[in-house]
Amino acid sequence: MDLRKFLYKGDDLGVTFKEDGTTKIKVWAPNIKNILLNLYSKHDSQRLIFSKNMTKLEDDVWSIILKERETGYLNLDKFFYDFKVKHMDGTEKYALDPYAKSMASFVPNEDINNIGRGAIVSLDSEEAGIKPRSIGMSNLGSSTDMVAYEIHIRDFTIGIDIKDAGTFKAFYEYDEGIEHLKKLGITHVQFLPIQNYFTVDEGNKGYNELGSSYNWGYDPHNYFTPEGWLAADEENPYGRIKELRNLVNKLHENGIGVIMDVVYNHTYNWDIFENLTPGSYYRMFGESISGGTGAGPTLESRNPMVRKLIIDSLKFFIDEYGIDGFRFDLMGFMDIDTMIEIRKAVGDNIILQGEAWNFTDLPINEAPVKGHIANYPHNIDLAVFNDSTRDSYLGKIHEKGFIQGNYDFPITDVCRAGIIGNIIDYYNKSVSIDLYHRFAYSPNETLQYLSIHDGFTLWDKINLSYDGTMIERARLVKFSLGMLFTSQGKVILQGGTEIGLTKPLGAIHQPKDPEADRAHTSEFINFDDDIGNITHYHENSYSSSDFVNQIRWTRKDNSLFKGINNYCGGLIKLRRCANAFRYSTSENIKKGLKFILVDDFNAYRVIAYTLDNTIEYNYGAGIERIPYNKFLVVHNASFETLNLKDNEFLAKMEVLVDSEKAGIIPIKDTDIVVKDGSLKITANTTVVLGIRG
């Protein structure tokens, strides 16, 4: 069978309920001899109550209709099922339905038949809760108006005293947390994976100090079922459905959209699809399955039925859960044509963004990777995580960046590339021309960030790389946020950054942490009062303890972190109230953003530019344009106060951002002094000046 040419176009894979009350189950499975459907009790997913061979139809689709006279049950709602598949070589394997819409509670173990069981559910049932409606980008003025907030469902509430902490339910019941997000001003939350993953005991939800039952979720098990470990009620197959719907509805009610982190590049192990149909779902090199991701077998997105699975899954979460966007993990392993087809399938209103590292097992001309601009699928509003900005502003891994005083060539020039959203056709001698840093045809292809779930948090990065007091470190955090939110493109913030998110690994945690060697220390660290005498900070906490990963909400009461929170919120408000900080097209960036001081003695440590705020008028619901026709932004990365001179500095300019405050209200009590032709700017500071229209 040529899998590249095969496509079943029906929309009835998985479970459907027929009008006569019977239940139909269909599955695509070529290259096998037979499938036996096993039905299990709704009261005990281990108790087999009925088995029957499925019928092979055209196009290698197998089907069965379950009738009362055969099963003995009028209604199969909440019953569980799996497949027993006979392969061509005579071996028999248990298999999970790839289109299962919910599952039995799962516990990973060494049993070779432990592959998980699907649940027979109706998404239209009252038990499934109220179906959300996707808002997509409709709360934005343009796609570059997005300010996303990445968060793991569990981390959001596991550290507080709330019932069902760490679950969808606790998230939407934590009103103080929702209010925090709303007040901060973010437009969307981006959840780490919430599709069912393999390596957690779904019933083990207690607070875990030393680690063992925690995972970020990059170990996919099923692409249609919400993860039961994140649900307060994992036993009832409707529990996870209703709780996720409630959470999306709650966020939408507060004007916040929802983006899902999705992992279609690999699955946890090859049994998940090979047990069902050998050689049909995974990328093959000869007789071997590719393990190029390093995280599991690679899905072959170029096979039409795999591409269909991906697109059906995405559309399912839009239609049934009101999801507004998707972040694609290791997107370089998904082919370009699949990404184009995804955009066609989901429409123009859904946010799409992904990891586009130059890391793939595809031919480079088929892989959507950053820096290969001739091959990248431009003009479909697909943003890439921009490590050029992260690494130049803040420093790569253990290195220092512009913010910590590293001005080695070409760091400052790469920073300027980030300022312009990394568009390819902006011409200025002070901006890097390296195609890896100038990869975007449009600013909506650039997702700007300083930290994300993998890597050091912003606070830890500065703690490890800068020798200074807590107050001085907080100043650098504000400076880095000032650079981030005045850069063109889209923006994503790691959840908790605004209150000093940290990932400390204590000595008692190290023996049980699976990646203890990825926690680092340095001669510069200060000890934070609320975490004790801890010297190591994690940059790969995918299976660490709750102590490492949780958001420490009590930090909001610390004046230092409260100041960062207010500063971050002020920057977000300024960005959203002024189109100039987020132009929607490359043409407008070229027209509206002009660098100054590029020939100044301080040009290696100062980045300055003007912004025309009259070019666009794109504002989200409830957001009004502030009355400034022009802005001047200056980033002083030196460790001294500077007196800069340029004709663009005017005495009538108002200070909106300095080293202490940020927002849309002019700052009166400030150390920034602006006169006609000169600016006095403090050390390690982003300054934004505005001229009223």
Side-chain angles (χ1 to χ4, degrees):
M1 171 184 243
D2 185 355
L3 294 172
R4 295 289 189 94
K5 297 180 178 179
F6 184 88
L7 178 63
Y8 173 69
K9 296 182 179 180
D11 60 359
D12 59 346
L13 294 176
V15 173
T16 55
F17 294 95
K18 296 170 66 66
E19 292 183 2
D20 61 4
T22 59
T23 302
K24 181 177 67 174
I25 300 176
K26 293 179 76 170
V27 61
W28 175 71
N31 305 325
I32 61 170
K33 284 186 175 181
N34 188 57
I35 301 183
L36 182 73
L37 179 116
N38 293 319
L39 188 67
Y40 301 85
S41 169
K42 67 179 180 179
H43 303 296
D44 180 0
S45 63
Q46 302 302 310
R47 184 162 68 89
L48 180 66
I49 60 172
F50 176 78
S51 296
K52 186 180 179 181
N53 286 325
M54 299 182 74
T55 301
K56 185 177 181 180
L57 308 178
E58 293 182 357
D59 300 330
D60 287 288
V61 171
W62 300 72
S63 178
I64 189 170
I65 297 177
L66 299 172
K67 302 176 181 179
E68 180 187 4
R69 68 173 181 267
E70 294 178 322
T71 66
Y73 296 92
L74 175 63
N75 188 339
L76 295 180
D77 192 37
K78 294 197 280 192
F79 283 64
F80 302 100
Y81 70 103
D82 64 16
F83 306 127
K84 191 173 184 180
V85 183
K86 179 174 284 190
H87 292 180
M88 292 299 187
D89 62 3
T91 59
E92 292 185 324
K93 298 287 183 68
Y94 285 88
L96 172 67
D97 182 359
Y99 279 75
K101 304 308 190 295
S102 188
M103 289 174 61
S105 181
F106 184 74
V107 180
N109 58 43
E110 299 301 320
D111 185 345
I112 61 171
N113 294 322
N114 187 37
I115 200 64
R117 290 182 177 134
I120 296 174
V121 293
S122 168
L123 276 295
D124 295 324
S125 168
E126 288 187 9
E127 284 196 74
I130 299 173
K131 184 187 301 187
R133 296 184 63 181
S134 175
I135 63 173
M137 290 185 273
S138 61
N139 61 337
L140 306 178
S142 66
S143 64
T144 52
D145 190 23
M146 183 196 81
V147 179
Y149 184 96
E150 186 202 46
I151 189 66
H152 189 292
I153 293 291
R154 183 175 177 88
D155 297 349
F156 195 72
T157 59
I158 196 63
I160 62 175
D161 184 15
I162 188 173
K163 186 180 179 183
D164 301 313
T167 66
F168 299 125
K169 184 173 183 287
F171 199 123
Y172 66 74
E173 290 183 346
Y174 184 34
D175 291 332
E176 187 177 339
I178 301 287
E179 185 61 28
H180 170 83
L181 299 178
K182 188 176 179 181
K183 187 174 181 180
L184 185 62
I186 55 107
T187 66
H188 293 75
V189 294
Q190 179 172 293
F191 293 143
L192 267 71
I194 58 176
Q195 290 163 306
N196 197 260
Y197 41 94
F198 199 93
T199 60
V200 292
D201 177 350
E202 293 190 346
N204 182 6
K205 296 185 173 70
Y207 180 87
N208 193 336
E209 187 172 276
L210 294 179
S212 71
S213 186
Y214 180 94
N215 208 302
W216 280 341
Y218 296 96
D219 50 331
H221 189 181
N222 179 271
Y223 290 119
F224 291 83
T225 300
E227 172 54 48
W229 185 58
L230 301 175
D233 182 3
E234 78 284 350
E235 293 290 341
N236 181 347
Y238 283 110
R240 60 190 76 193
I241 297 170
K242 183 175 182 178
E243 290 178 39
L244 178 54
R245 282 179 164 182
N246 285 348
L247 175 54
V248 175
N249 279 322
K250 180 68 172 283
L251 289 166
H252 282 178
E253 288 165 9
N254 285 275
I256 299 170
V258 176
I259 300 169
M260 280 175 56
D261 192 337
V262 289
V263 190
Y264 296 117
N265 59 84
H266 72 275
T267 60
Y268 173 68
N269 59 29
W270 61 265
D271 297 352
I272 290 169
F273 290 125
E274 285 292 288
N275 280 13
L276 176 64
T277 169
S280 299
Y281 279 91
Y282 296 113
R283 186 161 295 148
M284 306 295 295
F285 290 120
E287 298 297 317
S288 300
I289 296 173
S290 172
T293 67
T298 307
L299 263 69
E300 181 49 280
S301 58
R302 294 173 297 181
N303 284 354
M305 285 303 290
V306 178
R307 184 177 294 165
K308 174 179 170 60
L309 174 81
I310 293 169
I311 291 174
D312 286 350
S313 170
L314 294 169
K315 291 173 64 177
F316 175 77
F317 275 95
I318 295 169
D319 295 341
E320 298 295 343
Y321 292 96
I323 298 300
D324 307 300
F326 302 94
R327 176 264 191 194
F328 295 92
D329 180 65
L330 296 182
M331 187 172 68
F333 288 84
M334 300 172 66
D335 68 287
I336 289 171
D337 288 344
T338 292
M339 300 312 301
I340 293 171
E341 291 303 313
I342 286 171
R343 172 54 79 192
K344 290 178 182 177
V346 302
D348 295 334
N349 194 39
I350 297 297
I351 294 167
L352 300 180
Q353 51 207 33
E355 290 183 300
W357 319 130
N358 194 357
F359 174 46
T360 183
D361 58 6
L362 286 166
I364 198 63
N365 65 327
E366 296 185 47
V369 296
K370 179 173 175 274
H372 290 266
I373 58 175
N375 300 327
Y376 191 79
H378 299 287
N379 303 317
I380 63 168
D381 196 356
L382 175 63
V384 305
F385 279 76
N386 184 15
D387 57 329
S388 299
T389 287
R390 178 197 63 188
D391 294 346
S392 60
Y393 290 18
L394 200 59
K396 188 173 184 178
I397 308 179
H398 304 294
E399 300 169 1
K400 293 184 178 182
F402 182 74
I403 285 159
Q404 299 100 318
N406 181 359
Y407 320 124
D408 290 346
F409 180 81
I411 286 178
T412 306
D413 290 2
V414 177
C415 287
R416 290 194 182 95
I419 296 295
I420 63 170
N422 306 87
I423 58 173
I424 63 170
D425 55 347
Y426 186 102
Y427 303 104
N428 185 287
K429 67 180 181 180
S430 68
V431 182
S432 171
I433 59 173
D434 188 315
L435 288 180
Y436 189 77
H437 308 307
R438 300 287 295 279
F439 57 86
Y441 278 15
S442 170
N444 64 16
E445 294 180 359
T446 303
L447 183 58
Q448 308 279 29
Y449 75 108
L450 296 173
S451 65
I452 212 71
H453 66 273
D454 49 355
F456 294 118
T457 71
L458 176 57
W459 180 260
D460 290 347
K461 171 66 177 176
I462 290 175
N463 192 15
L464 290 162
S465 62
Y466 174 68
D467 186 12
T469 66
M470 294 276 283
I471 291 174
E472 290 169 335
R473 291 168 200 266
R475 185 185 186 98
L476 288 190
V477 169
K478 290 179 179 178
F479 178 34
S480 61
L481 291 171
M483 288 191 67
L484 176 69
F485 284 106
T486 55
S487 298
Q488 300 296 318
K490 302 174 181 179
V491 172
I492 187 166
L493 191 70
Q494 183 180 14
T497 294
E498 73 283 6
I499 54 172
L501 180 71
T502 183
K503 293 190 175 184
L505 184 68
I508 63 170
H509 307 97
Q510 290 187 22
K512 291 192 175 183
D513 192 285
E515 297 283 345
D517 61 331
R518 299 284 291 273
H520 301 275
T521 189
S522 81
E523 60 185 328
F524 302 136
I525 62 166
N526 277 341
F527 300 115
D528 294 335
D529 292 339
D530 60 345
I531 61 172
N533 189 20
I534 293 179
T535 60
H536 286 69
Y537 298 87
H538 227 306
E539 52 102 2
N540 190 32
S541 59
Y542 75 92
S543 192
S544 299
S545 66
D546 292 316
F547 178 83
V548 175
N549 284 298
Q550 67 183 275
I551 288 187
R552 290 169 164 79
W553 290 108
T554 55
R555 287 195 157 195
K556 286 185 69 176
D557 301 325
N558 181 307
S559 60
L560 194 74
F561 298 118
K562 184 177 181 180
I564 294 173
N565 183 46
N566 292 338
Y567 193 84
C568 187
L571 287 168
I572 293 173
K573 189 164 190 177
L574 175 62
R575 181 183 178 88
R576 298 207 66 209
C577 288
N579 259 139
F581 298 109
R582 47 178 179 81
Y583 294 127
S584 62
T585 68
S586 294
E587 287 303 315
N588 286 345
I589 293 175
K590 290 184 288 184
K591 187 187 305 181
L593 192 157
K594 307 295 181 185
F595 287 105
I596 64 171
L597 300 177
V598 294
D599 294 316
D600 189 270
F601 170 76
N602 292 297
Y604 68 100
R605 59 181 181 172
V606 171
I607 298 174
Y609 47 98
T610 62
L611 294 162
D612 186 340
N613 197 38
T614 66
I615 296 176
E616 291 188 24
Y617 196 92
N618 296 317
Y619 296 91
I623 305 293
E624 295 184 7
R625 177 187 183 276
I626 53 176
Y628 294 93
N629 284 350
K630 185 177 181 179
F631 297 103
L632 199 158
V633 182
V634 184
H635 305 298
N636 176 18
S638 75
F639 288 81
E640 57 184 297
T641 297
L642 298 178
N643 289 287
L644 305 172
K645 298 186 182 300
D646 195 278
N647 291 334
E648 290 288 351
F649 299 126
L650 302 174
K652 63 181 178 179
M653 287 180 163
E654 296 176 338
V655 179
L656 299 171
V657 177
D658 65 8
S659 64
E660 296 295 326
K661 297 179 181 179
I664 62 174
I665 299 173
I667 303 169
K668 301 301 183 184
D669 182 16
T670 178
D671 292 329
I672 305 303
V673 179
V674 58
K675 298 179 181 179
D676 287 342
S678 69
L679 174 73
K680 177 184 175 183
I681 181 171
T682 52
N684 314 118
T685 300
T686 288
V687 165
V688 176
L689 306 170
I691 300 177
R692 291 179 179 267

